[in-house]
Amino acid sequence: MSEVAHPDVILCAGGPMLLRGDHVIEDADGVPHRTTRPISAVCRCGKSGSQPWCDGTHKLIPKQHRP
């Protein structure tokens, strides 16, 4: 049986989820998106204009409303 590589997952306080490695994530509509970078930033605040990816919008949200 071969080993399956799992991407590293890092939750940035008040910011995105960073994923390292090749993987596919689904957006809110269930549409799959394959990563194209060695490290991908996934939006956790829900306000990014490039969902499911982080565009830095979380920096404009008051800290008490961040994930």
Side-chain angles (χ1 to χ4, degrees):
M1 183 158 94
S2 65
E3 290 186 32
V4 176
H6 295 283
D8 292 337
V9 177
I10 301 168
L11 299 179
C12 298
M17 173 175 58
L18 301 179
L19 300 176
R20 182 181 318 207
D22 295 327
H23 47 281
V24 176
I25 63 166
E26 289 185 6
D27 64 20
D29 296 324
V31 177
H33 298 269
R34 180 167 292 283
T35 58
T36 58
R37 300 178 178 192
I39 297 176
S40 300
V42 180
C43 177
R44 294 194 308 138
C45 74
K47 305 296 184 188
S48 173
S50 60
Q51 291 286 342
W53 314 116
C54 176
D55 66 1
T57 299
H58 62 275
K59 296 175 186 174
L60 304 175
I61 300 171
K63 289 185 180 188
Q64 66 268 22
H65 298 289
R66 292 185 194 177

PDB file of all heavy atoms in Angstrom, residues 21-53:
ATOM      1  N   GLY A  21       1.041  22.048  -0.772  1.00  0.00           N
ATOM      2  CA  GLY A  21       0.949  20.804  -1.524  1.00  0.00           C
ATOM      3  C   GLY A  21      -0.158  20.836  -2.556  1.00  0.00           C
ATOM      4  O   GLY A  21      -0.907  21.799  -2.674  1.00  0.00           O
ATOM      5  N   ASP A  22      -0.241  19.762  -3.304  1.00  0.00           N
ATOM      6  CA  ASP A  22      -1.264  19.635  -4.344  1.00  0.00           C
ATOM      7  C   ASP A  22      -2.550  19.117  -3.728  1.00  0.00           C
ATOM      8  O   ASP A  22      -2.546  18.082  -3.056  1.00  0.00           O
ATOM      9  CB  ASP A  22      -0.805  18.658  -5.426  1.00  0.00           C
ATOM     10  CG  ASP A  22       0.407  19.157  -6.182  1.00  0.00           C
ATOM     11  OD1 ASP A  22       0.520  20.393  -6.343  1.00  0.00           O
ATOM     12  OD2 ASP A  22       1.226  18.336  -6.598  1.00  0.00           O
ATOM     13  N   HIS A  23      -3.634  19.827  -3.958  1.00  0.00           N
ATOM     14  CA  HIS A  23      -4.921  19.403  -3.439  1.00  0.00           C
ATOM     15  C   HIS A  23      -6.041  20.136  -4.157  1.00  0.00           C
ATOM     16  O   HIS A  23      -5.805  21.050  -4.933  1.00  0.00           O
ATOM     17  CB  HIS A  23      -5.004  19.616  -1.930  1.00  0.00           C
ATOM     18  CG  HIS A  23      -4.543  20.955  -1.488  1.00  0.00           C
ATOM     19  ND1 HIS A  23      -3.214  21.277  -1.352  1.00  0.00           N
ATOM     20  CD2 HIS A  23      -5.216  22.068  -1.186  1.00  0.00           C
ATOM     21  CE1 HIS A  23      -3.094  22.531  -0.969  1.00  0.00           C
ATOM     22  NE2 HIS A  23      -4.295  23.035  -0.864  1.00  0.00           N
ATOM     23  N   VAL A  24      -7.250  19.704  -3.888  1.00  0.00           N
ATOM     24  CA  VAL A  24      -8.447  20.305  -4.460  1.00  0.00           C
ATOM     25  C   VAL A  24      -9.336  20.713  -3.288  1.00  0.00           C
ATOM     26  O   VAL A  24      -9.547  19.932  -2.362  1.00  0.00           O
ATOM     27  CB  VAL A  24      -9.193  19.306  -5.374  1.00  0.00           C
ATOM     28  CG1 VAL A  24     -10.491  19.906  -5.886  1.00  0.00           C
ATOM     29  CG2 VAL A  24      -8.307  18.874  -6.529  1.00  0.00           C
ATOM     30  N   ILE A  25      -9.839  21.947  -3.340  1.00  0.00           N
ATOM     31  CA  ILE A  25     -10.802  22.387  -2.335  1.00  0.00           C
ATOM     32  C   ILE A  25     -12.091  22.750  -3.048  1.00  0.00           C
ATOM     33  O   ILE A  25     -12.101  23.033  -4.250  1.00  0.00           O
ATOM     34  CB  ILE A  25     -10.281  23.578  -1.508  1.00  0.00           C
ATOM     35  CG1 ILE A  25     -10.059  24.798  -2.397  1.00  0.00           C
ATOM     36  CG2 ILE A  25      -9.011  23.213  -0.769  1.00  0.00           C
ATOM     37  CD1 ILE A  25      -9.869  26.065  -1.593  1.00  0.00           C
ATOM     38  N   GLU A  26     -13.194  22.745  -2.315  1.00  0.00           N
ATOM     39  CA  GLU A  26     -14.485  23.125  -2.882  1.00  0.00           C
ATOM     40  C   GLU A  26     -14.889  24.482  -2.343  1.00  0.00           C
ATOM     41  O   GLU A  26     -14.699  24.777  -1.164  1.00  0.00           O
ATOM     42  CB  GLU A  26     -15.558  22.098  -2.514  1.00  0.00           C
ATOM     43  CG  GLU A  26     -15.408  20.783  -3.223  1.00  0.00           C
ATOM     44  CD  GLU A  26     -16.557  19.839  -2.930  1.00  0.00           C
ATOM     45  OE1 GLU A  26     -17.536  20.239  -2.270  1.00  0.00           O
ATOM     46  OE2 GLU A  26     -16.467  18.689  -3.363  1.00  0.00           O
ATOM     47  N   ASP A  27     -15.485  25.312  -3.216  1.00  0.00           N
ATOM     48  CA  ASP A  27     -15.995  26.600  -2.765  1.00  0.00           C
ATOM     49  C   ASP A  27     -17.384  26.408  -2.151  1.00  0.00           C
ATOM     50  O   ASP A  27     -17.867  25.273  -2.024  1.00  0.00           O
ATOM     51  CB  ASP A  27     -15.983  27.631  -3.889  1.00  0.00           C
ATOM     52  CG  ASP A  27     -16.902  27.286  -5.057  1.00  0.00           C
ATOM     53  OD1 ASP A  27     -17.837  26.464  -4.903  1.00  0.00           O
ATOM     54  OD2 ASP A  27     -16.682  27.864  -6.145  1.00  0.00           O
ATOM     55  N   ALA A  28     -18.031  27.490  -1.760  1.00  0.00           N
ATOM     56  CA  ALA A  28     -19.332  27.421  -1.092  1.00  0.00           C
ATOM     57  C   ALA A  28     -20.406  26.778  -1.965  1.00  0.00           C
ATOM     58  O   ALA A  28     -21.387  26.231  -1.447  1.00  0.00           O
ATOM     59  CB  ALA A  28     -19.774  28.819  -0.665  1.00  0.00           C
ATOM     60  N   ASP A  29     -20.230  26.815  -3.280  1.00  0.00           N
ATOM     61  CA  ASP A  29     -21.195  26.205  -4.203  1.00  0.00           C
ATOM     62  C   ASP A  29     -20.857  24.766  -4.554  1.00  0.00           C
ATOM     63  O   ASP A  29     -21.522  24.157  -5.380  1.00  0.00           O
ATOM     64  CB  ASP A  29     -21.285  27.036  -5.486  1.00  0.00           C
ATOM     65  CG  ASP A  29     -21.825  28.433  -5.239  1.00  0.00           C
ATOM     66  OD1 ASP A  29     -22.711  28.589  -4.374  1.00  0.00           O
ATOM     67  OD2 ASP A  29     -21.346  29.379  -5.904  1.00  0.00           O
ATOM     68  N   GLY A  30     -19.782  24.239  -3.953  1.00  0.00           N
ATOM     69  CA  GLY A  30     -19.380  22.862  -4.226  1.00  0.00           C
ATOM     70  C   GLY A  30     -18.523  22.699  -5.462  1.00  0.00           C
ATOM     71  O   GLY A  30     -18.263  21.580  -5.901  1.00  0.00           O
ATOM     72  N   VAL A  31     -18.064  23.808  -6.047  1.00  0.00           N
ATOM     73  CA  VAL A  31     -17.221  23.758  -7.241  1.00  0.00           C
ATOM     74  C   VAL A  31     -15.780  23.474  -6.812  1.00  0.00           C
ATOM     75  O   VAL A  31     -15.244  24.174  -5.954  1.00  0.00           O
ATOM     76  CB  VAL A  31     -17.288  25.091  -8.024  1.00  0.00           C
ATOM     77  CG1 VAL A  31     -16.359  25.066  -9.221  1.00  0.00           C
ATOM     78  CG2 VAL A  31     -18.716  25.399  -8.441  1.00  0.00           C
ATOM     79  N   PRO A  32     -15.157  22.441  -7.377  1.00  0.00           N
ATOM     80  CA  PRO A  32     -13.779  22.123  -6.993  1.00  0.00           C
ATOM     81  C   PRO A  32     -12.765  23.082  -7.627  1.00  0.00           C
ATOM     82  O   PRO A  32     -12.952  23.543  -8.755  1.00  0.00           O
ATOM     83  CB  PRO A  32     -13.580  20.703  -7.527  1.00  0.00           C
ATOM     84  CG  PRO A  32     -14.538  20.580  -8.659  1.00  0.00           C
ATOM     85  CD  PRO A  32     -15.706  21.468  -8.326  1.00  0.00           C
ATOM     86  N   HIS A  33     -11.720  23.384  -6.866  1.00  0.00           N
ATOM     87  CA  HIS A  33     -10.633  24.246  -7.328  1.00  0.00           C
ATOM     88  C   HIS A  33      -9.316  23.567  -6.981  1.00  0.00           C
ATOM     89  O   HIS A  33      -9.068  23.256  -5.817  1.00  0.00           O
ATOM     90  CB  HIS A  33     -10.680  25.621  -6.644  1.00  0.00           C
ATOM     91  CG  HIS A  33     -11.923  26.389  -6.936  1.00  0.00           C
ATOM     92  ND1 HIS A  33     -12.018  27.267  -7.989  1.00  0.00           N
ATOM     93  CD2 HIS A  33     -13.126  26.396  -6.320  1.00  0.00           C
ATOM     94  CE1 HIS A  33     -13.222  27.796  -8.005  1.00  0.00           C
ATOM     95  NE2 HIS A  33     -13.912  27.285  -6.999  1.00  0.00           N
ATOM     96  N   ARG A  34      -8.470  23.337  -7.983  1.00  0.00           N
ATOM     97  CA  ARG A  34      -7.153  22.731  -7.761  1.00  0.00           C
ATOM     98  C   ARG A  34      -6.144  23.837  -7.487  1.00  0.00           C
ATOM     99  O   ARG A  34      -6.172  24.885  -8.109  1.00  0.00           O
ATOM    100  CB  ARG A  34      -6.728  21.922  -8.978  1.00  0.00           C
ATOM    101  CG  ARG A  34      -5.358  21.263  -8.792  1.00  0.00           C
ATOM    102  CD  ARG A  34      -5.065  20.235  -9.844  1.00  0.00           C
ATOM    103  NE  ARG A  34      -5.901  19.057  -9.749  1.00  0.00           N
ATOM    104  CZ  ARG A  34      -5.740  18.076  -8.854  1.00  0.00           C
ATOM    105  NH1 ARG A  34      -4.805  18.155  -7.957  1.00  0.00           N
ATOM    106  NH2 ARG A  34      -6.533  17.031  -8.860  1.00  0.00           N
ATOM    107  N   THR A  35      -5.264  23.600  -6.540  1.00  0.00           N
ATOM    108  CA  THR A  35      -4.228  24.579  -6.242  1.00  0.00           C
ATOM    109  C   THR A  35      -3.234  24.648  -7.395  1.00  0.00           C
ATOM    110  O   THR A  35      -3.013  23.665  -8.100  1.00  0.00           O
ATOM    111  CB  THR A  35      -3.476  24.231  -4.952  1.00  0.00           C
ATOM    112  OG1 THR A  35      -2.898  22.937  -5.089  1.00  0.00           O
ATOM    113  CG2 THR A  35      -4.395  24.250  -3.753  1.00  0.00           C
ATOM    114  N   THR A  36      -2.655  25.833  -7.582  1.00  0.00           N
ATOM    115  CA  THR A  36      -1.692  26.022  -8.658  1.00  0.00           C
ATOM    116  C   THR A  36      -0.360  26.563  -8.134  1.00  0.00           C
ATOM    117  O   THR A  36       0.549  26.797  -8.907  1.00  0.00           O
ATOM    118  CB  THR A  36      -2.230  27.008  -9.712  1.00  0.00           C
ATOM    119  OG1 THR A  36      -2.523  28.256  -9.091  1.00  0.00           O
ATOM    120  CG2 THR A  36      -3.473  26.460 -10.384  1.00  0.00           C
ATOM    121  N   ARG A  37      -0.264  26.752  -6.823  1.00  0.00           N
ATOM    122  CA  ARG A  37       0.948  27.293  -6.200  1.00  0.00           C
ATOM    123  C   ARG A  37       1.463  26.318  -5.149  1.00  0.00           C
ATOM    124  O   ARG A  37       0.706  25.509  -4.630  1.00  0.00           O
ATOM    125  CB  ARG A  37       0.636  28.626  -5.520  1.00  0.00           C
ATOM    126  CG  ARG A  37       0.118  29.661  -6.474  1.00  0.00           C
ATOM    127  CD  ARG A  37      -0.226  30.923  -5.734  1.00  0.00           C
ATOM    128  NE  ARG A  37      -0.676  31.935  -6.664  1.00  0.00           N
ATOM    129  CZ  ARG A  37      -0.830  33.195  -6.363  1.00  0.00           C
ATOM    130  NH1 ARG A  37      -0.581  33.613  -5.138  1.00  0.00           N
ATOM    131  NH2 ARG A  37      -1.232  34.052  -7.263  1.00  0.00           N
ATOM    132  N   PRO A  38       2.729  26.432  -4.786  1.00  0.00           N
ATOM    133  CA  PRO A  38       3.256  25.559  -3.721  1.00  0.00           C
ATOM    134  C   PRO A  38       2.537  25.775  -2.389  1.00  0.00           C
ATOM    135  O   PRO A  38       2.308  24.838  -1.647  1.00  0.00           O
ATOM    136  CB  PRO A  38       4.728  25.958  -3.620  1.00  0.00           C
ATOM    137  CG  PRO A  38       5.054  26.561  -4.944  1.00  0.00           C
ATOM    138  CD  PRO A  38       3.791  27.219  -5.423  1.00  0.00           C
ATOM    139  N   ILE A  39       2.167  27.034  -2.089  1.00  0.00           N
ATOM    140  CA  ILE A  39       1.381  27.346  -0.893  1.00  0.00           C
ATOM    141  C   ILE A  39       0.207  28.210  -1.344  1.00  0.00           C
ATOM    142  O   ILE A  39       0.393  29.225  -2.003  1.00  0.00           O
ATOM    143  CB  ILE A  39       2.216  28.090   0.165  1.00  0.00           C
ATOM    144  CG1 ILE A  39       3.365  27.203   0.638  1.00  0.00           C
ATOM    145  CG2 ILE A  39       1.336  28.504   1.345  1.00  0.00           C
ATOM    146  CD1 ILE A  39       4.306  27.863   1.608  1.00  0.00           C
ATOM    147  N   SER A  40      -1.013  27.804  -0.963  1.00  0.00           N
ATOM    148  CA  SER A  40      -2.220  28.527  -1.353  1.00  0.00           C
ATOM    149  C   SER A  40      -2.898  29.085  -0.110  1.00  0.00           C
ATOM    150  O   SER A  40      -2.978  28.411   0.912  1.00  0.00           O
ATOM    151  CB  SER A  40      -3.194  27.593  -2.071  1.00  0.00           C
ATOM    152  OG  SER A  40      -2.597  27.062  -3.232  1.00  0.00           O
ATOM    153  N   ALA A  41      -3.401  30.319  -0.206  1.00  0.00           N
ATOM    154  CA  ALA A  41      -4.121  30.962   0.895  1.00  0.00           C
ATOM    155  C   ALA A  41      -5.614  30.887   0.607  1.00  0.00           C
ATOM    156  O   ALA A  41      -6.099  31.415  -0.397  1.00  0.00           O
ATOM    157  CB  ALA A  41      -3.675  32.410   1.043  1.00  0.00           C
ATOM    158  N   VAL A  42      -6.351  30.234   1.498  1.00  0.00           N
ATOM    159  CA  VAL A  42      -7.788  30.045   1.354  1.00  0.00           C
ATOM    160  C   VAL A  42      -8.510  31.007   2.289  1.00  0.00           C
ATOM    161  O   VAL A  42      -8.182  31.097   3.479  1.00  0.00           O
ATOM    162  CB  VAL A  42      -8.188  28.589   1.677  1.00  0.00           C
ATOM    163  CG1 VAL A  42      -9.687  28.394   1.532  1.00  0.00           C
ATOM    164  CG2 VAL A  42      -7.438  27.618   0.766  1.00  0.00           C
ATOM    165  N   CYS A  43      -9.484  31.733   1.774  1.00  0.00           N
ATOM    166  CA  CYS A  43     -10.237  32.714   2.556  1.00  0.00           C
ATOM    167  C   CYS A  43     -11.014  32.035   3.678  1.00  0.00           C
ATOM    168  O   CYS A  43     -11.652  31.005   3.467  1.00  0.00           O
ATOM    169  CB  CYS A  43     -11.215  33.460   1.644  1.00  0.00           C
ATOM    170  SG  CYS A  43     -12.269  34.635   2.508  1.00  0.00           S
ATOM    171  N   ARG A  44     -10.945  32.629   4.885  1.00  0.00           N
ATOM    172  CA  ARG A  44     -11.752  32.151   6.013  1.00  0.00           C
ATOM    173  C   ARG A  44     -12.742  33.203   6.484  1.00  0.00           C
ATOM    174  O   ARG A  44     -13.656  32.892   7.231  1.00  0.00           O
ATOM    175  CB  ARG A  44     -10.853  31.755   7.190  1.00  0.00           C
ATOM    176  CG  ARG A  44      -9.991  30.559   6.891  1.00  0.00           C
ATOM    177  CD  ARG A  44      -9.356  29.974   8.141  1.00  0.00           C
ATOM    178  NE  ARG A  44      -8.656  30.938   8.949  1.00  0.00           N
ATOM    179  CZ  ARG A  44      -8.710  30.976  10.291  1.00  0.00           C
ATOM    180  NH1 ARG A  44      -9.418  30.119  10.957  1.00  0.00           N
ATOM    181  NH2 ARG A  44      -8.028  31.883  10.960  1.00  0.00           N
ATOM    182  N   CYS A  45     -12.588  34.467   6.023  1.00  0.00           N
ATOM    183  CA  CYS A  45     -13.499  35.520   6.492  1.00  0.00           C
ATOM    184  C   CYS A  45     -14.767  35.584   5.640  1.00  0.00           C
ATOM    185  O   CYS A  45     -15.763  36.160   6.052  1.00  0.00           O
ATOM    186  CB  CYS A  45     -12.797  36.879   6.504  1.00  0.00           C
ATOM    187  SG  CYS A  45     -12.520  37.629   4.878  1.00  0.00           S
ATOM    188  N   GLY A  46     -14.730  35.010   4.448  1.00  0.00           N
ATOM    189  CA  GLY A  46     -15.892  35.013   3.571  1.00  0.00           C
ATOM    190  C   GLY A  46     -16.070  36.283   2.759  1.00  0.00           C
ATOM    191  O   GLY A  46     -17.055  36.426   2.048  1.00  0.00           O
ATOM    192  N   LYS A  47     -15.142  37.211   2.849  1.00  0.00           N
ATOM    193  CA  LYS A  47     -15.286  38.507   2.173  1.00  0.00           C
ATOM    194  C   LYS A  47     -14.388  38.690   0.956  1.00  0.00           C
ATOM    195  O   LYS A  47     -14.471  39.705   0.280  1.00  0.00           O
ATOM    196  CB  LYS A  47     -15.006  39.648   3.161  1.00  0.00           C
ATOM    197  CG  LYS A  47     -15.849  39.606   4.413  1.00  0.00           C
ATOM    198  CD  LYS A  47     -17.314  39.781   4.096  1.00  0.00           C
ATOM    199  CE  LYS A  47     -18.114  39.836   5.396  1.00  0.00           C
ATOM    200  NZ  LYS A  47     -19.538  39.820   5.157  1.00  0.00           N
ATOM    201  N   SER A  48     -13.530  37.735   0.665  1.00  0.00           N
ATOM    202  CA  SER A  48     -12.607  37.854  -0.460  1.00  0.00           C
ATOM    203  C   SER A  48     -13.359  37.978  -1.779  1.00  0.00           C
ATOM    204  O   SER A  48     -14.377  37.314  -2.001  1.00  0.00           O
ATOM    205  CB  SER A  48     -11.691  36.621  -0.520  1.00  0.00           C
ATOM    206  OG  SER A  48     -10.903  36.652  -1.683  1.00  0.00           O
ATOM    207  N   GLY A  49     -12.842  38.820  -2.662  1.00  0.00           N
ATOM    208  CA  GLY A  49     -13.427  38.965  -3.989  1.00  0.00           C
ATOM    209  C   GLY A  49     -12.972  37.883  -4.956  1.00  0.00           C
ATOM    210  O   GLY A  49     -13.451  37.818  -6.077  1.00  0.00           O
ATOM    211  N   SER A  50     -12.051  37.025  -4.512  1.00  0.00           N
ATOM    212  CA  SER A  50     -11.554  35.948  -5.370  1.00  0.00           C
ATOM    213  C   SER A  50     -11.753  34.589  -4.706  1.00  0.00           C
ATOM    214  O   SER A  50     -10.871  33.747  -4.728  1.00  0.00           O
ATOM    215  CB  SER A  50     -10.076  36.185  -5.705  1.00  0.00           C
ATOM    216  OG  SER A  50      -9.305  36.227  -4.522  1.00  0.00           O
ATOM    217  N   GLN A  51     -12.935  34.392  -4.117  1.00  0.00           N
ATOM    218  CA  GLN A  51     -13.249  33.139  -3.432  1.00  0.00           C
ATOM    219  C   GLN A  51     -12.931  31.932  -4.308  1.00  0.00           C
ATOM    220  O   GLN A  51     -13.152  32.005  -5.506  1.00  0.00           O
ATOM    221  CB  GLN A  51     -14.742  33.101  -3.062  1.00  0.00           C
ATOM    222  CG  GLN A  51     -15.132  34.062  -1.999  1.00  0.00           C
ATOM    223  CD  GLN A  51     -14.674  33.624  -0.624  1.00  0.00           C
ATOM    224  OE1 GLN A  51     -14.346  32.470  -0.382  1.00  0.00           O
ATOM    225  NE2 GLN A  51     -14.639  34.554   0.289  1.00  0.00           N
ATOM    226  N   PRO A  52     -12.422  30.866  -3.804  1.00  0.00           N
ATOM    227  CA  PRO A  52     -12.194  30.578  -2.394  1.00  0.00           C
ATOM    228  C   PRO A  52     -10.836  31.072  -1.892  1.00  0.00           C
ATOM    229  O   PRO A  52     -10.451  30.816  -0.766  1.00  0.00           O
ATOM    230  CB  PRO A  52     -12.253  29.055  -2.342  1.00  0.00           C
ATOM    231  CG  PRO A  52     -11.661  28.631  -3.652  1.00  0.00           C
ATOM    232  CD  PRO A  52     -12.148  29.682  -4.636  1.00  0.00           C
ATOM    233  N   TRP A  53     -10.109  31.809  -2.711  1.00  0.00           N
ATOM    234  CA  TRP A  53      -8.768  32.249  -2.355  1.00  0.00           C
ATOM    235  C   TRP A  53      -8.802  33.562  -1.579  1.00  0.00           C
ATOM    236  O   TRP A  53      -9.682  34.394  -1.763  1.00  0.00           O
ATOM    237  CB  TRP A  53      -7.909  32.403  -3.607  1.00  0.00           C
ATOM    238  CG  TRP A  53      -8.038  31.232  -4.525  1.00  0.00           C
ATOM    239  CD1 TRP A  53      -8.541  31.229  -5.796  1.00  0.00           C
ATOM    240  CD2 TRP A  53      -7.703  29.866  -4.242  1.00  0.00           C
ATOM    241  NE1 TRP A  53      -8.540  29.963  -6.309  1.00  0.00           N
ATOM    242  CE2 TRP A  53      -8.023  29.092  -5.372  1.00  0.00           C
ATOM    243  CE3 TRP A  53      -7.174  29.222  -3.138  1.00  0.00           C
ATOM    244  CZ2 TRP A  53      -7.825  27.725  -5.454  1.00  0.00           C
ATOM    245  CZ3 TRP A  53      -6.971  27.847  -3.207  1.00  0.00           C
ATOM    246  CH2 TRP A  53      -7.288  27.115  -4.344  1.00  0.00           C
TER     247      TRP A  53
END
